[in-house]
mmCIF file of all heavy atoms in Angstrom:
data_model
loop_
_atom_site.group_PDB
_atom_site.id
_atom_site.type_symbol
_atom_site.label_atom_id
_atom_site.label_comp_id
_atom_site.label_asym_id
_atom_site.label_seq_id
_atom_site.Cartn_x
_atom_site.Cartn_y
_atom_site.Cartn_z
ATOM 1 N N VAL A 30 -10.293 -6.181 -7.844
ATOM 2 C CA VAL A 30 -10.500 -7.269 -8.800
ATOM 3 C C VAL A 30 -11.754 -7.065 -9.650
ATOM 4 O O VAL A 30 -11.909 -7.696 -10.697
ATOM 5 C CB VAL A 30 -10.525 -8.633 -8.071
ATOM 6 C CG1 VAL A 30 -11.855 -8.886 -7.403
ATOM 7 C CG2 VAL A 30 -10.159 -9.765 -9.003
ATOM 8 N N LEU A 31 -12.634 -6.181 -9.241
ATOM 9 C CA LEU A 31 -13.909 -6.033 -9.942
ATOM 10 C C LEU A 31 -13.767 -5.558 -11.385
ATOM 11 O O LEU A 31 -14.625 -5.834 -12.211
ATOM 12 C CB LEU A 31 -14.838 -5.094 -9.171
ATOM 13 C CG LEU A 31 -15.300 -5.603 -7.813
ATOM 14 C CD1 LEU A 31 -16.231 -4.591 -7.164
ATOM 15 C CD2 LEU A 31 -15.969 -6.962 -7.920
ATOM 16 N N ASP A 32 -12.698 -4.847 -11.692
ATOM 17 C CA ASP A 32 -12.505 -4.352 -13.055
ATOM 18 C C ASP A 32 -11.800 -5.346 -13.966
ATOM 19 O O ASP A 32 -11.623 -5.074 -15.153
ATOM 20 C CB ASP A 32 -11.721 -3.038 -13.030
ATOM 21 C CG ASP A 32 -12.555 -1.894 -12.494
ATOM 22 O OD1 ASP A 32 -13.768 -1.869 -12.778
ATOM 23 O OD2 ASP A 32 -11.990 -1.027 -11.807
ATOM 24 N N LEU A 33 -11.366 -6.474 -13.433
ATOM 25 C CA LEU A 33 -10.724 -7.485 -14.270
ATOM 26 C C LEU A 33 -11.815 -8.247 -15.017
ATOM 27 O O LEU A 33 -12.665 -8.885 -14.395
ATOM 28 C CB LEU A 33 -9.885 -8.448 -13.421
ATOM 29 C CG LEU A 33 -8.728 -7.816 -12.651
ATOM 30 C CD1 LEU A 33 -8.043 -8.866 -11.793
ATOM 31 C CD2 LEU A 33 -7.741 -7.165 -13.581
ATOM 32 N N TYR A 34 -11.776 -8.154 -16.335
ATOM 33 C CA TYR A 34 -12.886 -8.703 -17.099
ATOM 34 C C TYR A 34 -12.440 -9.066 -18.508
ATOM 35 O O TYR A 34 -11.704 -8.314 -19.153
ATOM 36 C CB TYR A 34 -14.006 -7.655 -17.163
ATOM 37 C CG TYR A 34 -15.165 -8.037 -18.033
ATOM 38 C CD1 TYR A 34 -16.089 -8.977 -17.597
ATOM 39 C CD2 TYR A 34 -15.327 -7.469 -19.288
ATOM 40 C CE1 TYR A 34 -17.162 -9.341 -18.404
ATOM 41 C CE2 TYR A 34 -16.391 -7.820 -20.087
ATOM 42 C CZ TYR A 34 -17.306 -8.757 -19.645
ATOM 43 O OH TYR A 34 -18.353 -9.117 -20.442
ATOM 44 N N VAL A 35 -12.890 -10.221 -18.960
ATOM 45 C CA VAL A 35 -12.727 -10.646 -20.357
ATOM 46 C C VAL A 35 -14.122 -11.003 -20.858
ATOM 47 O O VAL A 35 -14.817 -11.802 -20.225
ATOM 48 C CB VAL A 35 -11.776 -11.863 -20.476
ATOM 49 C CG1 VAL A 35 -11.739 -12.389 -21.894
ATOM 50 C CG2 VAL A 35 -10.388 -11.492 -19.995
ATOM 51 N N PRO A 36 -14.552 -10.395 -21.966
ATOM 52 C CA PRO A 36 -15.903 -10.677 -22.480
ATOM 53 C C PRO A 36 -16.098 -12.153 -22.818
ATOM 54 O O PRO A 36 -15.141 -12.884 -23.078
ATOM 55 C CB PRO A 36 -15.997 -9.826 -23.750
ATOM 56 C CG PRO A 36 -14.912 -8.814 -23.629
ATOM 57 C CD PRO A 36 -13.843 -9.426 -22.781
ATOM 58 N N ARG A 37 -17.346 -12.561 -22.816
ATOM 59 C CA ARG A 37 -17.702 -13.946 -23.148
ATOM 60 C C ARG A 37 -17.808 -14.127 -24.656
ATOM 61 O O ARG A 37 -17.947 -13.179 -25.411
ATOM 62 C CB ARG A 37 -19.044 -14.282 -22.518
ATOM 63 C CG ARG A 37 -19.036 -14.178 -21.023
ATOM 64 C CD ARG A 37 -20.396 -14.475 -20.522
ATOM 65 N NE ARG A 37 -20.531 -15.924 -20.489
ATOM 66 C CZ ARG A 37 -21.141 -16.594 -19.564
ATOM 67 N NH1 ARG A 37 -21.737 -15.972 -18.595
ATOM 68 N NH2 ARG A 37 -21.193 -17.908 -19.588
ATOM 69 N N ASP A 38 -17.803 -15.398 -25.061
ATOM 70 C CA ASP A 38 -18.080 -15.807 -26.441
ATOM 71 C C ASP A 38 -17.172 -15.153 -27.478
ATOM 72 O O ASP A 38 -17.627 -14.751 -28.552
ATOM 73 C CB ASP A 38 -19.554 -15.541 -26.802
ATOM 74 C CG ASP A 38 -20.502 -16.272 -25.866
ATOM 75 O OD1 ASP A 38 -20.179 -17.408 -25.466
ATOM 76 O OD2 ASP A 38 -21.558 -15.700 -25.529
ATOM 77 N N LEU A 39 -15.896 -15.038 -27.164
ATOM 78 C CA LEU A 39 -14.945 -14.474 -28.112
ATOM 79 C C LEU A 39 -14.360 -15.571 -28.986
ATOM 80 O O LEU A 39 -14.219 -16.720 -28.562
ATOM 81 C CB LEU A 39 -13.808 -13.770 -27.370
ATOM 82 C CG LEU A 39 -14.181 -12.569 -26.514
ATOM 83 C CD1 LEU A 39 -12.961 -12.075 -25.744
ATOM 84 C CD2 LEU A 39 -14.766 -11.452 -27.366
ATOM 85 N N GLU A 40 -14.000 -15.198 -30.182
ATOM 86 C CA GLU A 40 -13.253 -16.088 -31.060
ATOM 87 C C GLU A 40 -11.844 -16.226 -30.480
ATOM 88 O O GLU A 40 -11.393 -15.357 -29.723
ATOM 89 C CB GLU A 40 -13.186 -15.507 -32.477
ATOM 90 C CG GLU A 40 -14.539 -15.385 -33.154
ATOM 91 C CD GLU A 40 -15.208 -16.740 -33.379
ATOM 92 O OE1 GLU A 40 -14.498 -17.719 -33.689
ATOM 93 O OE2 GLU A 40 -16.436 -16.820 -33.211
ATOM 94 N N PRO A 41 -11.128 -17.295 -30.830
ATOM 95 C CA PRO A 41 -9.790 -17.504 -30.244
ATOM 96 C C PRO A 41 -8.863 -16.299 -30.376
ATOM 97 O O PRO A 41 -8.173 -15.942 -29.415
ATOM 98 C CB PRO A 41 -9.252 -18.718 -31.007
ATOM 99 C CG PRO A 41 -10.487 -19.485 -31.368
ATOM 100 C CD PRO A 41 -11.533 -18.433 -31.661
ATOM 101 N N ASP A 42 -8.808 -15.657 -31.535
ATOM 102 C CA ASP A 42 -7.932 -14.493 -31.703
ATOM 103 C C ASP A 42 -8.393 -13.327 -30.828
ATOM 104 O O ASP A 42 -7.574 -12.632 -30.221
ATOM 105 C CB ASP A 42 -7.895 -14.046 -33.168
ATOM 106 C CG ASP A 42 -7.116 -15.011 -34.046
ATOM 107 O OD1 ASP A 42 -6.340 -15.818 -33.484
ATOM 108 O OD2 ASP A 42 -7.281 -14.956 -35.279
ATOM 109 N N GLU A 43 -9.698 -13.117 -30.753
ATOM 110 C CA GLU A 43 -10.242 -12.050 -29.917
ATOM 111 C C GLU A 43 -9.977 -12.337 -28.434
ATOM 112 O O GLU A 43 -9.679 -11.424 -27.663
ATOM 113 C CB GLU A 43 -11.752 -11.906 -30.137
ATOM 114 C CG GLU A 43 -12.137 -11.461 -31.533
ATOM 115 C CD GLU A 43 -13.636 -11.564 -31.746
ATOM 116 O OE1 GLU A 43 -14.248 -12.553 -31.290
ATOM 117 O OE2 GLU A 43 -14.186 -10.641 -32.380
ATOM 118 N N TYR A 44 -10.076 -13.610 -28.076
ATOM 119 C CA TYR A 44 -9.837 -14.020 -26.691
ATOM 120 C C TYR A 44 -8.384 -13.726 -26.294
ATOM 121 O O TYR A 44 -8.117 -13.151 -25.242
ATOM 122 C CB TYR A 44 -10.155 -15.505 -26.536
ATOM 123 C CG TYR A 44 -9.769 -16.074 -25.195
ATOM 124 C CD1 TYR A 44 -10.433 -15.692 -24.039
ATOM 125 C CD2 TYR A 44 -8.734 -17.000 -25.091
ATOM 126 C CE1 TYR A 44 -10.080 -16.216 -22.801
ATOM 127 C CE2 TYR A 44 -8.373 -17.526 -23.869
ATOM 128 C CZ TYR A 44 -9.046 -17.131 -22.732
ATOM 129 O OH TYR A 44 -8.690 -17.640 -21.523
ATOM 130 N N ARG A 45 -7.439 -14.093 -27.158
ATOM 131 C CA ARG A 45 -6.022 -13.821 -26.872
ATOM 132 C C ARG A 45 -5.770 -12.316 -26.766
ATOM 133 O O ARG A 45 -5.035 -11.857 -25.895
ATOM 134 C CB ARG A 45 -5.126 -14.473 -27.914
ATOM 135 C CG ARG A 45 -4.983 -15.975 -27.731
ATOM 136 C CD ARG A 45 -3.909 -16.563 -28.634
ATOM 137 N NE ARG A 45 -4.316 -16.619 -30.031
ATOM 138 C CZ ARG A 45 -5.136 -17.527 -30.564
ATOM 139 N NH1 ARG A 45 -5.619 -18.479 -29.790
ATOM 140 N NH2 ARG A 45 -5.451 -17.509 -31.828
ATOM 141 N N GLU A 46 -6.400 -11.544 -27.638
ATOM 142 C CA GLU A 46 -6.248 -10.091 -27.594
ATOM 143 C C GLU A 46 -6.845 -9.526 -26.308
ATOM 144 O O GLU A 46 -6.283 -8.629 -25.677
ATOM 145 C CB GLU A 46 -6.909 -9.440 -28.818
ATOM 146 C CG GLU A 46 -6.871 -7.931 -28.825
ATOM 147 C CD GLU A 46 -5.465 -7.335 -28.815
ATOM 148 O OE1 GLU A 46 -4.496 -8.015 -29.209
ATOM 149 O OE2 GLU A 46 -5.331 -6.180 -28.367
ATOM 150 N N ALA A 47 -7.987 -10.044 -25.892
ATOM 151 C CA ALA A 47 -8.619 -9.583 -24.648
ATOM 152 C C ALA A 47 -7.727 -9.901 -23.441
ATOM 153 O O ALA A 47 -7.599 -9.086 -22.526
ATOM 154 C CB ALA A 47 -9.993 -10.216 -24.485
ATOM 155 N N LEU A 48 -7.096 -11.074 -23.457
ATOM 156 C CA LEU A 48 -6.171 -11.423 -22.371
ATOM 157 C C LEU A 48 -4.965 -10.492 -22.375
ATOM 158 O O LEU A 48 -4.488 -10.076 -21.316
ATOM 159 C CB LEU A 48 -5.720 -12.878 -22.492
ATOM 160 C CG LEU A 48 -6.719 -13.933 -22.060
ATOM 161 C CD1 LEU A 48 -6.132 -15.328 -22.278
ATOM 162 C CD2 LEU A 48 -7.120 -13.749 -20.605
ATOM 163 N N ARG A 49 -4.466 -10.165 -23.572
ATOM 164 C CA ARG A 49 -3.329 -9.240 -23.667
ATOM 165 C C ARG A 49 -3.715 -7.873 -23.112
ATOM 166 O O ARG A 49 -2.943 -7.230 -22.402
ATOM 167 C CB ARG A 49 -2.859 -9.109 -25.119
ATOM 168 C CG ARG A 49 -1.569 -8.316 -25.262
ATOM 169 C CD ARG A 49 -1.285 -7.907 -26.691
ATOM 170 N NE ARG A 49 -2.284 -7.044 -27.271
ATOM 171 C CZ ARG A 49 -2.484 -5.755 -26.944
ATOM 172 N NH1 ARG A 49 -1.775 -5.197 -26.002
ATOM 173 N NH2 ARG A 49 -3.403 -5.036 -27.542
ATOM 174 N N ARG A 50 -4.932 -7.423 -23.404
ATOM 175 C CA ARG A 50 -5.385 -6.110 -22.921
ATOM 176 C C ARG A 50 -5.583 -6.069 -21.410
ATOM 177 O O ARG A 50 -5.523 -5.009 -20.806
ATOM 178 C CB ARG A 50 -6.684 -5.708 -23.623
ATOM 179 C CG ARG A 50 -6.475 -5.182 -25.027
ATOM 180 C CD ARG A 50 -7.726 -4.502 -25.558
ATOM 181 N NE ARG A 50 -8.923 -5.302 -25.395
ATOM 182 C CZ ARG A 50 -9.475 -6.049 -26.343
ATOM 183 N NH1 ARG A 50 -8.939 -6.102 -27.536
ATOM 184 N NH2 ARG A 50 -10.576 -6.735 -26.097
ATOM 185 N N VAL A 51 -5.815 -7.214 -20.803
ATOM 186 C CA VAL A 51 -6.043 -7.243 -19.348
ATOM 187 C C VAL A 51 -4.720 -7.291 -18.565
ATOM 188 O O VAL A 51 -4.718 -7.087 -17.350
ATOM 189 C CB VAL A 51 -6.989 -8.412 -18.967
ATOM 190 C CG1 VAL A 51 -6.251 -9.718 -18.809
ATOM 191 C CG2 VAL A 51 -7.756 -8.097 -17.715
ATOM 192 N N LEU A 52 -3.594 -7.477 -19.235
ATOM 193 C CA LEU A 52 -2.297 -7.548 -18.542
ATOM 194 C C LEU A 52 -1.974 -6.304 -17.718
ATOM 195 O O LEU A 52 -1.533 -6.430 -16.564
ATOM 196 C CB LEU A 52 -1.175 -7.862 -19.530
ATOM 197 C CG LEU A 52 -1.125 -9.305 -20.021
ATOM 198 C CD1 LEU A 52 -0.019 -9.474 -21.052
ATOM 199 C CD2 LEU A 52 -0.947 -10.267 -18.867
ATOM 200 N N PRO A 53 -2.169 -5.078 -18.247
ATOM 201 C CA PRO A 53 -1.916 -3.905 -17.382
ATOM 202 C C PRO A 53 -2.816 -3.899 -16.145
ATOM 203 O O PRO A 53 -2.388 -3.482 -15.067
ATOM 204 C CB PRO A 53 -2.229 -2.712 -18.291
ATOM 205 C CG PRO A 53 -2.103 -3.231 -19.679
ATOM 206 C CD PRO A 53 -2.502 -4.681 -19.619
#
Side-chain angles (χ1 to χ4, degrees):
V30 79
L31 294 181
D32 288 324
L33 298 177
Y34 174 75
V35 174
R37 299 178 81 141
D38 302 323
L39 297 174
E40 296 296 323
D42 288 342
E43 295 171 320
Y44 172 68
R45 284 190 287 282
E46 177 60 22
L48 284 178
R49 188 194 62 71
R50 282 193 310 261
V51 84
L52 286 177

